[in-house]
Amino acid sequence: MQRLQLTDAEQAEINTLVDRFIAAGHDWDPLTAAEAATATAQRLPLRLREFLTGARTAESGITVVSGVPLDPRLADTPIGWEAAAKSAAGRREEIALLLCGAAMGDPFGWESQQEGRLVHDVSPSRGMETSLTSASSEKTLSLHTEDVFHPCRADYVALLCLRNPDGVATTVAGVDALRLSPERRDALTEPRFHFFPDDSHTGPITGHTSGDDREAEADRVLFGPEQAPYLRFDVDFMEAADPGAGDAMRAADELLSSSPDRVVLNPGDLVFIDNYKVVHGRAPFTPRYDGADRWLKRLNLLRDVRRLYARSNTRTRLVPA
Ligand SMILES: NC(=[NH2+])NCCC[C@H](N)C(=O)O
Ligand SMILES: O=C(O)CCC(=O)C(=O)O
Ligand SMILES: [Fe+2]
C-alpha cells in the first residue's frame, strides 16, 4: 500500500481549487465536468501529482491519500444515493474527489448507474440492508471487480471517505492470494466464464440488452502478463461455463475471501483501488439512519477515456445505455 498525508498548506491549495471550480460554474454535464477537472488537476500540489503518477507507474494495488479537505459544515449523511443526488449533499467533497481523481485517470460514469452521475454516493439505504449493492450494510459485500461485466470497466475505483464512525473496513485481496493448483490456474486463464451487470445497474446496458446475458462471449478471470496477471472476479455476478471452471472459481473465491486485507477509511482518506490488480468489498455493519452514517463518494477512472470513445458512436464520458 502507498500512502501520502497532505500538509495543511496542500489542503489549503486544494480548497482554493475547489472554490474556483465552483465559482467557474462548471455544470454537471459529465463531459464538461470531467474535462474541466482534468484541466484543473494540473494545478494540484506537485507532491500529490508526483505521488499519484508514481502509484500509476508502479501499478500500486491500493493507494491512499489522507487529509483531503472536508467541509466543516458537511451535511448529514443522506439515506442512500437518491437523497444525496436530490440535495447535492457533499458537493465540495465531490469536486475535491473529481480533481484528485483526474490526476490519476480520466473520470467517467455509467448511464445505467445512479442516473448517470459522475460522482456516486455510497451510504446505507433503507430496504437495501442485505442487497448486493454498495447501499447495503448488514450483509458482507463480497470481494468484487467493479463493473466486472464490462470491457471498459474502471482502471481505478476512487473512494473518498466523508464519514465512517464505526471504522467499517473496506476489504481487499490481490491476485497473489490465488495460490492454486496448475489445473485450476489454467482454468482461470481460459475463456470459461460469463460476467454479468450487478444489481446497481438499472435499465438496458450496451451489449447486455436482455436479462439473459448467457449468450455473451465467455472470458477469462486471469489475463495479461503470466508473472503478474490481472484479475476479473465477482462471484455474485459471474458464472462458470463448465464444471472444471466452476471448481476453479469456488477455490479462487475461498482463497480471496479467507483473509482479505482490511482498509479502514477515515474522513478525508481517499483510496484508489486498482480494479485490475485487486478485488474489493466491505465488512457488514449496522446502519443508523440518523444522519451520522458511513458515507463515501465514489468515482470511476480510466487510464485513457478513449477506450470508451472507441466503443461508442458518441464522444461521451458516460457509457451509454
Ligand atoms: N458482489 C457484488 N455485490 N457486486 C456488486 C458490487 C456493488 C456495486 N458495484 C454497487 O455499486 O452497488
Ligand atoms: O463501502 C466500501 O467500502 C466499498 C463499497 C464498494 O464496493 C463500492 O462502492 O464500489
Ligand atoms: Fe465496489
Side-chain angles (χ1 to χ4, degrees), residues 178-194:
L178 295 178
R179 281 177 288 273
L180 289 161
S181 68
E183 294 74 28
R184 283 173 166 164
R185 206 178 169 82
D186 285 348
L188 297 179
T189 310
E190 288 160 7
R192 293 162 68 176
F193 303 88
H194 295 281

Side-chain angles (χ1 to χ4, degrees), residues 13 19 60 95 98 105 111 138 144 146 168 188 193 217 225 235 267 296:
E13 283 181 58
D19 288 338
S60 157
I95 294 168
L98 193 59
E111 250 174 39
E138 282 161 2
H144 59 275
E146 199 72 5
V168 176
L188 297 179
F193 303 88
E217 229 177 285
V235 78
L296 311 179

Side-chain angles (χ1 to χ4, degrees), residues 231-251:
L231 168 70
R232 177 184 197 181
F233 198 81
D234 183 343
V235 78
D236 292 335
F237 294 96
M238 64 190 279
E239 237 174 58
D242 62 85
D247 164 73
M249 181 175 99
R250 281 184 297 276

